[in-house]
Amino acid sequence: MTIKSDSPKLVDGMGRTIVNLRISVTDRCNFRCTYCMPADNVEFMDRSNLLSFEEILRVVTVASGLGINRIRLTGGEPLMRKDLPTLIKMINGVEGINDVALTTNAFFLKDQAQSLMDAGLKRLNVSLDALDPEKFRDVNRRDCLQAVLDGLDTARKVGFKSIKINAVAVRNFSENEIMGLIEYGRSDGFEVRFIEFMPLDSDKVWEREKVLFGHEIIDLIKEKYELVPVDNSLEIGPASEYTFADGKGKIGIITAVSNPFCDHCNRIRMTADGKLRTCLFSTDETNLKEMIRSGESDANIAETIRQAVLIKEPGHKINLDDFERPDRAMHAIGG
Ligand code: SAM
Ligand code: SF4
């Protein structure tokens, strides 16, 4: 069924305007985080199915014509994709795109920070769940905390102004790491954001009881610091932000499970094999790769994106009885 839409913009059936496209450039990763990937025997996409840079650019160009103005590159580990700065430069040249950001585990950041900066990357999110080397190894299944810290340090030195640290909040794991991460963020100028653990792990061990909830994190921090909520009414994002009353630093809490921000969601995603997903938890996808490779016109691709967005899911159903896990785990979707 085709729904009629006269809007040149991407507006969904609930009236939400979509301006944000997250693009996964690979499903491969050098880490094996417990909340995302299995420890071994991962089945990766065949490389021939990955969109080329030119194909990604085509989607970005069409999407920008529909009002998309923010792009985030992710994965898998996006810095494992060869020549990523070249893609960033290409996307930066697309009219209408005014923000290109990257989410990375930072293992390769020390070597790539300067070229990412030169390519015009504006914002960086780095995943870091623990500052204790053993706990880092337990959760990321790799013994390389120092490489991540070096990556962060280099990113700051080459001039990245907006660096956020993402920590997944897992019960009986994160509690003892929270204050250390906060002190690190305050002293080195990184905004630390805690993301409630979502049911997107390959191992399928997620249970509600394993989520450390946002309000519990706030309570923990408040034992030491007074927090001041930031008025984010003008900027739509998933995080509730707080500054410290002493004026030093900022934190964010993403209550993806306990208090989802679906009503304000302004994003869609594309997987590394060119499937458009209108929600992190979509169980349906739109195959843009097939359209591109079979020679469809820009107009048809644009209309297909518009139609997919029109029936964007009202929200995820994690908290409902009929919740269905998507087939893809986080690394294969693009977080
Ligand atoms: N490899 C890069 C990284 O880790 O930053 C980018 C891809 S990763 C899938 C993107 C983000 O998703 C990371 O911040 C990661 O912590 C988060 N993530 C992965 N699995 C998650 C889960 N089950 N629940 C909540 N966040 C998750
Ligand atoms: Fe890799 Fe990022 Fe998933 Fe960790 S969260 S396994 S670093 S893709």
Side-chain angles (χ1 to χ4, degrees), residues 91-328:
I91 294 176
N92 261 323
V94 174
E95 200 186 320
I97 301 298
N98 51 38
D99 184 62
V100 185
L102 176 78
T103 303
T104 173
N105 65 26
F107 182 85
F108 301 105
L109 192 55
K110 185 175 177 203
D111 292 339
Q112 297 192 30
Q114 186 66 60
S115 41
L116 291 167
M117 171 59 99
D118 296 344
L121 186 71
K122 298 213 172 63
R123 297 185 299 114
L124 263 181
N125 282 23
V126 168
S127 298
L128 175 59
D129 305 298
L131 285 171
D132 175 275
E134 279 179 26
K135 288 189 75 178
F136 181 100
R137 195 193 53 212
D138 287 349
V139 70
N140 304 110
R141 299 195 182 109
R142 293 290 182 268
D143 194 2
C144 54
L145 170 65
Q146 195 54 49
V148 173
L149 298 179
D150 290 347
L152 276 161
D153 194 38
T154 309
R156 212 187 25 181
K157 284 188 178 134
V158 304
F160 280 99
K161 297 270 180 302
S162 173
I163 304 178
K164 290 179 181 148
I165 290 178
N166 289 349
V168 179
V170 182
R171 189 175 299 285
N172 297 329
F173 175 85
S174 306
E175 291 89 338
N176 294 333
E177 291 301 313
I178 288 171
M179 291 319 290
L181 286 166
I182 278 180
E183 299 301 352
Y184 175 58
R186 271 163 61 86
S187 66
D188 288 39
F190 306 125
E191 175 179 337
V192 182
R193 292 154 51 118
F194 298 97
I195 310 171
E196 290 177 352
F197 175 29
M198 293 181 276
L200 290 168
D201 54 315
S202 304
D203 290 340
K204 301 196 172 148
V205 299
W206 184 92
E207 295 169 355
R208 217 183 157 73
E209 292 66 38
K210 292 186 176 148
V211 183
L212 182 65
F213 292 119
H215 67 87
E216 300 175 276
I217 299 170
I218 294 289
D219 286 348
L220 232 149
I221 300 170
K222 279 186 174 164
E223 285 176 18
K224 180 158 182 201
Y225 291 111
E226 194 185 330
L227 293 174
V228 183
V230 175
D231 177 8
N232 276 346
S233 47
L234 292 177
E235 201 194 312
I236 298 168
S240 306
E241 292 185 307
Y242 299 80
T243 51
F244 291 87
D246 63 10
K248 201 171 168 199
K250 203 189 214 184
I251 58 156
I253 309 281
I254 301 181
T255 51
V257 177
S258 66
N259 187 16
F261 91 120
C262 306
D263 286 354
H264 305 287
C265 182
N266 63 2
R267 51 181 66 173
I268 52 177
R269 298 180 144 79
M270 184 170 67
T271 62
D273 56 347
K275 309 282 171 64
L276 184 75
R277 298 175 62 87
T278 47
C279 175
L280 199 44
F281 292 91
S282 289
T283 48
D284 277 331
E285 301 177 334
T286 304
N287 193 341
L288 298 182
K289 182 190 77 186
E290 199 173 275
M291 292 192 81
I292 292 170
R293 295 193 180 171
S294 63
E296 290 283 357
S297 67
D298 284 359
N300 281 352
I301 294 172
E303 189 50 30
T304 299
I305 297 175
R306 223 191 327 243
Q307 291 294 325
V309 164
L310 267 175
I311 52 168
K312 175 174 160 68
E313 299 78 348
H316 70 58
K317 296 185 170 181
I318 299 176
N319 299 311
L320 303 177
D321 288 343
D322 59 342
F323 172 65
E324 210 183 313
R325 281 182 75 116
D327 289 339
R328 292 179 190 256

